[in-house]
Amino acid sequence: EIVLTQSPGTLSLSPGERATLSCRATQSISRNYLAWYQHKPGQAPRLLIYGASIRATGIPDRFSGSGSGTDFSLTISRLEPEDFAVYYCQQYVTSLYTFGQGTKLEIK
Amino acid sequence: QVQLQESGPGLVKPSQTLSLTCTVSGGSINSGSHYWSWIRQPAGKGLEWIGRISSSGSADYNPSLKSRVTISVDMSKNQFSLKLSSVTAADTAVYYCARVVAAAGMDVWGEGTTVTVSS
């Protein structure tokens, strides 16, 4: 089983600032089969990034993903008020999917 | 535009079987390029993947739940279902269904349904 560890657990920033979230895997994720989701209370998770760096349909370009192997990151270039949420990474390279434990992005 | 909707009892007694259904609308569940998945989130915790099934009926499960989980698909109703047996309070969670696009993650999600395990 691939374990994903996200850091930091909580990130406190202000609107307009840049956010960088990290996701580290216990083994290499081939084909960059790594996705990022945004999750707000009372809503369904929303796919932001797949293939480590490909924005899903309708996702603003302030969201970007990068990385390969075991280290991946999600960057939000300029935070908007609606971006404060919990973010999860997820691998789908094996038939046993796993999620990271999440990073909570909160308003400072 | 594909939409997913979970349905099922909101309250299940301990030791009984939790049963949920996900209805797919706006598209066919019989797609060779998609899997159909269940995910849950206990209160105050993160997302936990439960399992997935292909339109051909081939299923994979989270090893931690495998002995208690069955996911099935009903083409005639355009639905897939989750059964979780011998539930305890630890199975209390919001349960989501989602469509998995090969090589592209879970792109469509249901709104989620809360299931409480309590006597």
Side-chain angles (χ1 to χ4, degrees), chain B residues 2-72:
Chain B
V2 173
Q3 294 183 309
L4 306 181
Q5 180 66 58
E6 305 90 349
S7 59
L11 181 64
V12 181
K13 288 182 167 49
S15 80
Q16 294 191 342
T17 296
L18 178 160
S19 295
L20 295 175
T21 295
C22 183
T23 300
V24 180
S25 59
S28 174
I29 200 170
N30 188 14
S31 168
S33 60
H34 296 134
Y35 286 91
W36 306 92
S37 196
W38 287 97
I39 304 95
R40 70 180 183 179
Q41 183 180 36
K45 296 187 178 181
L47 299 173
E48 179 181 32
W49 178 72
I50 299 171
R52 70 174 191 179
I53 192 165
S54 68
S55 55
S56 65
S58 175
D60 299 287
Y61 303 120
N62 185 325
S64 69
L65 299 170
K66 188 173 184 176
S67 63
R68 299 193 292 130
V69 173
T70 302
I71 298 176
S72 59

Coordinates of all heavy atoms in Angstrom, one line a residue, chain B residues 2-72:
Chain B
V2 N -22.8 14.1 -16.3 CA -23.0 13.0 -15.4 C -23.2 13.5 -14.0 O -22.4 14.4 -13.5 CB -21.8 12.0 -15.5 CG1 -22.0 10.9 -14.4 CG2 -21.7 11.4 -16.9
Q3 N -24.2 12.9 -13.3 CA -24.4 13.2 -11.9 C -24.6 11.9 -11.1 O -25.1 10.9 -11.7 CB -25.6 14.1 -11.7 CG -25.5 15.5 -12.3 CD -26.7 16.4 -12.1 OE1 -27.8 16.0 -12.3 NE2 -26.5 17.6 -11.5
L4 N -24.1 12.0 -9.9 CA -24.2 10.8 -9.0 C -25.0 11.2 -7.8 O -24.9 12.3 -7.2 CB -22.8 10.3 -8.6 CG -21.8 10.0 -9.7 CD1 -20.5 9.5 -9.1 CD2 -22.3 9.0 -10.7
Q5 N -25.8 10.2 -7.3 CA -26.7 10.5 -6.1 C -26.7 9.3 -5.2 O -27.1 8.2 -5.6 CB -28.1 10.8 -6.5 CG -29.0 11.1 -5.3 CD -28.6 12.4 -4.5 OE1 -28.5 13.4 -5.1 NE2 -28.3 12.2 -3.2
E6 N -26.2 9.4 -4.0 CA -26.2 8.3 -3.0 C -27.6 8.2 -2.3 O -28.3 9.2 -2.2 CB -25.2 8.5 -1.9 CG -23.8 8.7 -2.4 CD -23.4 10.2 -2.6 OE1 -24.3 11.1 -2.6 OE2 -22.2 10.5 -2.8
S7 N -28.0 7.0 -2.0 CA -29.2 6.8 -1.3 C -29.1 5.6 -0.3 O -28.3 4.7 -0.6 CB -30.4 6.6 -2.2 OG -30.2 5.5 -3.1
G8 N -29.9 5.6 0.7 CA -29.9 4.5 1.7 C -30.2 5.0 3.1 O -30.3 6.2 3.3
P9 N -30.3 4.0 4.0 CA -30.7 4.4 5.4 C -29.6 5.3 6.0 O -28.4 5.1 5.8 CB -30.8 3.0 6.1 CG -30.9 2.0 5.0 CD -30.2 2.6 3.8
G10 N -30.1 6.2 6.8 CA -29.2 7.1 7.5 C -28.8 6.6 8.9 O -27.9 7.1 9.5
L11 N -29.5 5.5 9.3 CA -29.2 5.0 10.6 C -29.2 3.4 10.5 O -30.1 2.8 9.9 CB -30.3 5.4 11.6 CG -30.2 4.9 13.0 CD1 -28.9 5.4 13.7 CD2 -31.4 5.2 13.9
V12 N -28.1 2.9 11.0 CA -27.9 1.4 11.0 C -27.5 1.0 12.4 O -26.7 1.6 13.0 CB -26.8 1.0 9.9 CG1 -26.6 -0.5 9.9 CG2 -27.1 1.6 8.6
K13 N -28.1 -0.2 12.8 CA -27.7 -0.7 14.1 C -26.4 -1.4 14.1 O -26.0 -2.0 13.1 CB -28.8 -1.6 14.6 CG -30.1 -0.9 15.0 CD -31.2 -1.9 15.4 CE -32.3 -1.3 16.1 NZ -32.9 -0.2 15.4
P14 N -25.7 -1.4 15.2 CA -24.4 -2.1 15.3 C -24.6 -3.6 15.0 O -25.7 -4.2 15.3 CB -24.0 -1.9 16.8 CG -24.7 -0.7 17.2 CD -26.0 -0.6 16.4
S15 N -23.6 -4.2 14.3 CA -23.6 -5.6 13.9 C -24.4 -5.8 12.6 O -24.3 -6.9 12.0 CB -24.0 -6.5 15.0 OG -25.4 -6.6 15.0
Q16 N -25.2 -4.8 12.2 CA -26.0 -5.0 11.0 C -25.2 -4.6 9.7 O -24.0 -4.3 9.8 CB -27.3 -4.3 11.0 CG -28.2 -4.8 12.1 CD -29.6 -4.2 12.0 OE1 -29.9 -3.2 11.4 NE2 -30.6 -4.9 12.7
T17 N -25.8 -4.7 8.6 CA -25.2 -4.4 7.3 C -25.6 -3.1 6.8 O -26.8 -2.8 6.6 CB -25.4 -5.5 6.2 OG1 -24.9 -6.7 6.7 CG2 -24.8 -5.1 4.9
L18 N -24.7 -2.2 6.5 CA -24.9 -0.9 5.8 C -25.1 -1.1 4.3 O -24.2 -1.8 3.7 CB -23.7 0.0 6.2 CG -23.7 1.4 5.6 CD1 -22.7 2.2 6.5 CD2 -23.2 1.5 4.2
S19 N -26.1 -0.6 3.8 CA -26.4 -0.7 2.3 C -26.6 0.6 1.7 O -27.6 1.3 2.1 CB -27.5 -1.7 2.1 OG -27.2 -3.0 2.5
L20 N -25.9 1.0 0.7 CA -26.0 2.3 0.0 C -26.0 2.0 -1.5 O -25.4 1.1 -2.0 CB -24.9 3.2 0.4 CG -24.9 3.7 1.8 CD1 -23.6 4.6 2.0 CD2 -26.1 4.5 2.2
T21 N -26.7 2.9 -2.2 CA -26.8 2.8 -3.7 C -26.4 4.1 -4.2 O -26.8 5.2 -3.7 CB -28.2 2.4 -4.1 OG1 -28.5 1.1 -3.7 CG2 -28.3 2.5 -5.6
C22 N -25.7 4.1 -5.3 CA -25.3 5.3 -6.1 C -26.0 5.2 -7.5 O -25.7 4.3 -8.2 CB -23.8 5.4 -6.2 SG -23.3 6.9 -7.0
T23 N -26.8 6.2 -7.7 CA -27.5 6.3 -9.0 C -26.8 7.2 -10.0 O -26.6 8.4 -9.6 CB -29.0 6.7 -8.9 OG1 -29.7 5.7 -8.0 CG2 -29.7 6.7 -10.2
V24 N -26.5 6.7 -11.1 CA -25.8 7.5 -12.2 C -26.8 8.1 -13.1 O -27.6 7.3 -13.7 CB -24.7 6.7 -12.9 CG1 -24.0 7.5 -13.9 CG2 -23.8 6.1 -11.9
S25 N -26.8 9.4 -13.3 CA -27.7 10.0 -14.3 C -26.9 10.8 -15.3 O -25.8 11.3 -15.0 CB -28.7 10.9 -13.6 OG -28.1 11.9 -12.9
G26 N -27.4 11.0 -16.5 CA -26.7 11.8 -17.5 C -25.6 11.1 -18.2 O -24.9 11.7 -19.0
G27 N -25.6 9.8 -18.0 CA -24.6 9.0 -18.7 C -24.7 7.5 -18.3 O -25.5 7.2 -17.4
S28 N -24.0 6.7 -19.0 CA -24.2 5.2 -18.8 C -23.1 4.7 -17.8 O -21.9 5.1 -17.9 CB -24.1 4.5 -20.1 OG -24.1 3.1 -19.8
I29 N -23.5 3.9 -16.9 CA -22.5 3.2 -16.0 C -21.7 2.2 -16.8 O -20.6 1.8 -16.3 CB -23.2 2.6 -14.8 CG1 -22.2 2.4 -13.6 CG2 -23.9 1.3 -15.2 CD1 -22.9 2.0 -12.3
N30 N -22.2 1.8 -17.9 CA -21.5 0.8 -18.7 C -20.5 1.4 -19.6 O -20.6 1.4 -20.8 CB -22.6 0.0 -19.5 CG -22.0 -1.2 -20.2 OD1 -20.9 -1.7 -19.9 ND2 -22.7 -1.8 -21.2
S31 N -19.4 1.9 -19.0 CA -18.4 2.5 -19.7 C -17.1 1.8 -19.4 O -16.7 1.7 -18.3 CB -18.2 4.0 -19.3 OG -17.0 4.5 -19.8
G32 N -16.4 1.4 -20.5 CA -15.2 0.6 -20.3 C -14.0 1.5 -19.8 O -13.1 1.0 -19.3
S33 N -14.2 2.8 -19.8 CA -13.1 3.7 -19.4 C -13.2 4.2 -18.0 O -12.4 5.0 -17.6 CB -13.0 4.9 -20.4 OG -14.2 5.6 -20.4
H34 N -14.3 3.8 -17.3 CA -14.5 4.3 -16.0 C -14.6 3.2 -14.9 O -15.0 2.1 -15.2 CB -15.9 5.1 -15.9 CG -15.9 6.3 -16.8 ND1 -16.9 6.6 -17.6 CD2 -15.0 7.3 -16.9 CE1 -16.7 7.7 -18.2 NE2 -15.5 8.2 -17.9
Y35 N -14.2 3.6 -13.7 CA -14.5 2.8 -12.5 C -15.5 3.6 -11.7 O -15.6 4.8 -11.9 CB -13.2 2.5 -11.7 CG -12.3 1.5 -12.3 CD1 -11.3 1.9 -13.1 CD2 -12.4 0.1 -12.0 CE1 -10.4 0.9 -13.7 CE2 -11.6 -0.8 -12.5 CZ -10.5 -0.4 -13.3 OH -9.7 -1.3 -13.8
W36 N -16.1 2.9 -10.8 CA -17.1 3.6 -9.9 C -16.7 3.2 -8.4 O -16.4 2.1 -8.1 CB -18.5 3.0 -10.2 CG -18.8 3.3 -11.7 CD1 -18.5 2.4 -12.7 CD2 -19.2 4.5 -12.3 NE1 -18.9 2.9 -13.9 CE2 -19.3 4.2 -13.7 CE3 -19.6 5.7 -11.8 CZ2 -19.8 5.2 -14.6 CZ3 -20.1 6.7 -12.7 CH2 -20.1 6.4 -14.1
S37 N -16.6 4.3 -7.6 CA -15.9 4.1 -6.4 C -16.7 4.6 -5.2 O -17.6 5.4 -5.4 CB -14.6 4.9 -6.4 OG -13.7 4.5 -5.4
W38 N -16.4 4.1 -4.0 CA -17.0 4.6 -2.8 C -15.9 5.1 -1.9 O -14.8 4.5 -1.8 CB -17.7 3.5 -2.0 CG -19.0 3.1 -2.7 CD1 -19.3 2.0 -3.5 CD2 -20.3 3.7 -2.5 NE1 -20.6 2.0 -3.9 CE2 -21.3 3.0 -3.3 CE3 -20.7 4.8 -1.7 CZ2 -22.6 3.4 -3.3 CZ3 -22.1 5.2 -1.8 CH2 -23.0 4.5 -2.6
I39 N -16.2 6.2 -1.2 CA -15.2 6.9 -0.3 C -16.0 7.3 0.9 O -17.2 7.6 0.8 CB -14.6 8.1 -1.0 CG1 -13.9 7.8 -2.3 CG2 -13.6 8.8 0.0 CD1 -14.8 8.0 -3.5
R40 N -15.4 7.4 2.1 CA -16.1 7.8 3.3 C -15.2 8.8 4.1 O -14.0 8.8 3.9 CB -16.6 6.7 4.1 CG -15.4 5.9 4.9 CD -16.0 4.8 5.7 NE -15.0 4.1 6.4 CZ -15.2 3.1 7.3 NH1 -16.5 2.6 7.4 NH2 -14.2 2.5 7.9
Q41 N -15.9 9.6 4.9 CA -15.2 10.5 5.8 C -15.9 10.5 7.1 O -17.0 11.1 7.3 CB -15.2 11.9 5.2 CG -14.4 12.9 6.0 CD -14.4 14.3 5.5 OE1 -15.4 14.8 4.9 NE2 -13.3 15.0 5.6
P42 N -15.3 9.9 8.1 CA -15.8 10.0 9.5 C -15.7 11.5 9.9 O -14.8 12.2 9.5 CB -14.8 9.1 10.3 CG -14.2 8.2 9.3 CD -14.1 9.0 8.0
A43 N -16.5 11.9 10.8 CA -16.5 13.2 11.3 C -15.2 13.6 11.9 O -14.6 12.9 12.7 CB -17.6 13.4 12.4
G44 N -14.6 14.8 11.4 CA -13.4 15.3 11.9 C -12.1 14.6 11.4 O -11.0 14.8 11.8
K45 N -12.3 13.6 10.4 CA -11.2 12.9 9.9 C -11.1 13.1 8.4 O -11.9 13.8 7.8 CB -11.4 11.4 10.2 CG -11.3 11.1 11.7 CD -11.3 9.6 12.0 CE -11.2 9.3 13.5 NZ -11.1 7.9 13.8
G46 N -10.1 12.5 7.8 CA -9.9 12.6 6.3 C -10.7 11.6 5.5 O -11.5 10.8 6.0
L47 N -10.5 11.7 4.2 CA -11.1 10.8 3.3 C -10.5 9.4 3.3 O -9.3 9.3 3.3 CB -11.0 11.4 1.8 CG -11.6 12.8 1.6 CD1 -11.3 13.3 0.2 CD2 -13.1 12.7 1.8
E48 N -11.4 8.4 3.2 CA -10.9 7.0 3.2 C -11.5 6.3 2.0 O -12.7 6.3 1.9 CB -11.3 6.3 4.5 CG -10.9 4.8 4.5 CD -11.2 4.1 5.8 OE1 -12.3 4.4 6.3 OE2 -10.5 3.2 6.2
W49 N -10.7 5.8 1.2 CA -11.2 5.1 0.0 C -11.7 3.7 0.4 O -11.0 3.0 1.2 CB -10.0 4.9 -1.0 CG -10.4 4.2 -2.2 CD1 -11.2 4.6 -3.3 CD2 -10.0 2.8 -2.6 NE1 -11.3 3.6 -4.2 CE2 -10.6 2.5 -3.8 CE3 -9.1 1.9 -2.0 CZ2 -10.4 1.3 -4.5 CZ3 -8.9 0.7 -2.6 CH2 -9.5 0.4 -3.9
I50 N -12.9 3.3 0.0 CA -13.4 2.0 0.4 C -13.2 1.0 -0.7 O -12.8 -0.2 -0.4 CB -15.0 2.2 0.6 CG1 -15.2 3.2 1.8 CG2 -15.6 0.8 0.9 CD1 -16.7 3.5 2.0
G51 N -13.5 1.3 -2.0 CA -13.3 0.4 -3.0 C -13.8 0.9 -4.3 O -14.3 2.0 -4.4
R52 N -13.6 0.1 -5.4 CA -14.1 0.5 -6.7 C -14.6 -0.7 -7.5 O -14.2 -1.9 -7.1 CB -12.9 1.2 -7.5 CG -11.8 0.2 -7.9 CD -10.8 0.8 -8.8 NE -9.9 -0.3 -9.3 CZ -8.9 -0.1 -10.2 NH1 -8.6 1.2 -10.5 NH2 -8.2 -1.1 -10.6
I53 N -15.3 -0.5 -8.5 CA -15.8 -1.5 -9.4 C -15.8 -1.1 -10.8 O -16.1 0.1 -11.1 CB -17.2 -2.0 -8.9 CG1 -17.6 -3.3 -9.6 CG2 -18.3 -1.0 -9.1 CD1 -18.7 -4.1 -9.0
S54 N -15.5 -1.9 -11.7 CA -15.6 -1.6 -13.1 C -17.0 -2.0 -13.6 O -17.7 -2.7 -13.0 CB -14.5 -2.4 -13.9 OG -14.8 -3.8 -13.9
S55 N -17.3 -1.6 -14.8 CA -18.6 -1.9 -15.4 C -18.7 -3.4 -15.7 O -19.8 -3.9 -15.8 CB -18.8 -1.1 -16.7 OG -17.8 -1.3 -17.6
S56 N -17.6 -4.1 -15.8 CA -17.6 -5.5 -16.0 C -17.8 -6.3 -14.7 O -17.9 -7.5 -14.7 CB -16.3 -6.0 -16.6 OG -15.2 -5.8 -15.8
G57 N -17.8 -5.5 -13.6 CA -18.0 -6.2 -12.3 C -16.8 -6.5 -11.5 O -16.9 -7.1 -10.4
S58 N -15.6 -6.2 -12.0 CA -14.4 -6.5 -11.3 C -14.2 -5.4 -10.2 O -14.2 -4.2 -10.5 CB -13.2 -6.4 -12.3 OG -12.0 -6.6 -11.6
A59 N -14.0 -5.9 -8.9 CA -13.9 -5.0 -7.8 C -12.6 -5.1 -7.1 O -12.0 -6.1 -7.0 CB -15.1 -5.2 -6.8
D60 N -12.2 -3.9 -6.5 CA -11.0 -3.9 -5.6 C -11.4 -3.2 -4.4 O -12.2 -2.2 -4.4 CB -9.9 -3.1 -6.3 CG -9.4 -3.7 -7.6 OD1 -8.7 -4.8 -7.5 OD2 -9.7 -3.2 -8.7
Y61 N -10.8 -3.6 -3.2 CA -11.2 -3.0 -2.0 C -10.0 -2.6 -1.1 O -8.9 -3.1 -1.2 CB -12.0 -4.1 -1.2 CG -13.3 -4.6 -1.9 CD1 -13.4 -6.0 -2.2 CD2 -14.3 -3.8 -2.2 CE1 -14.5 -6.5 -2.8 CE2 -15.4 -4.2 -2.9 CZ -15.5 -5.6 -3.2 OH -16.6 -6.1 -3.8
N62 N -10.3 -1.6 -0.2 CA -9.3 -1.2 0.8 C -9.1 -2.5 1.7 O -10.0 -3.1 2.2 CB -9.9 -0.1 1.6 CG -8.9 0.5 2.6 OD1 -8.1 -0.2 3.2 ND2 -9.0 1.8 2.8
P63 N -7.8 -2.8 1.8 CA -7.5 -4.0 2.6 C -8.0 -4.0 4.0 O -8.4 -5.0 4.6 CB -5.9 -4.1 2.6 CG -5.6 -3.3 1.4 CD -6.6 -2.3 1.2
S64 N -8.1 -2.8 4.6 CA -8.6 -2.7 6.0 C -10.1 -2.9 6.1 O -10.6 -3.2 7.2 CB -8.3 -1.3 6.5 OG -9.1 -0.3 5.8
L65 N -10.8 -2.9 5.0 CA -12.3 -3.2 5.0 C -12.7 -4.4 4.2 O -13.8 -4.8 4.2 CB -13.0 -1.9 4.4 CG -12.8 -0.6 5.2 CD1 -13.4 0.5 4.3 CD2 -13.5 -0.7 6.5
K66 N -11.7 -5.0 3.5 CA -12.0 -6.0 2.5 C -12.9 -7.2 3.0 O -13.8 -7.7 2.3 CB -10.7 -6.6 2.0 CG -10.9 -7.5 0.8 CD -9.5 -7.9 0.2 CE -9.7 -8.7 -1.1 NZ -8.4 -9.1 -1.7
S67 N -12.7 -7.6 4.3 CA -13.5 -8.7 4.8 C -14.9 -8.4 5.0 O -15.8 -9.3 5.1 CB -12.8 -9.2 6.1 OG -12.9 -8.2 7.1
R68 N -15.3 -7.1 5.0 CA -16.7 -6.7 5.3 C -17.4 -6.0 4.1 O -18.6 -5.7 4.2 CB -16.7 -5.7 6.5 CG -16.1 -6.3 7.8 CD -16.5 -5.4 9.0 NE -15.8 -4.2 9.0 CZ -16.4 -3.0 9.1 NH1 -17.7 -2.9 9.3 NH2 -15.7 -1.9 9.2
V69 N -16.6 -5.7 3.0 CA -17.2 -4.9 2.0 C -17.5 -5.7 0.7 O -16.8 -6.6 0.3 CB -16.2 -3.8 1.6 CG1 -16.6 -3.0 0.3 CG2 -16.0 -2.8 2.7
T70 N -18.6 -5.3 0.1 CA -19.0 -5.8 -1.2 C -19.5 -4.6 -2.0 O -20.4 -3.9 -1.6 CB -20.1 -6.9 -1.2 OG1 -19.6 -8.0 -0.4 CG2 -20.4 -7.4 -2.6
I71 N -18.9 -4.4 -3.2 CA -19.4 -3.4 -4.2 C -19.9 -4.1 -5.4 O -19.3 -5.0 -5.9 CB -18.3 -2.4 -4.5 CG1 -17.9 -1.6 -3.3 CG2 -18.9 -1.4 -5.6 CD1 -16.7 -0.6 -3.5
S72 N -21.1 -3.8 -5.8 CA -21.7 -4.4 -7.0 C -22.3 -3.4 -7.9 O -22.5 -2.2 -7.6 CB -22.8 -5.4 -6.6 OG -23.8 -4.7 -5.8

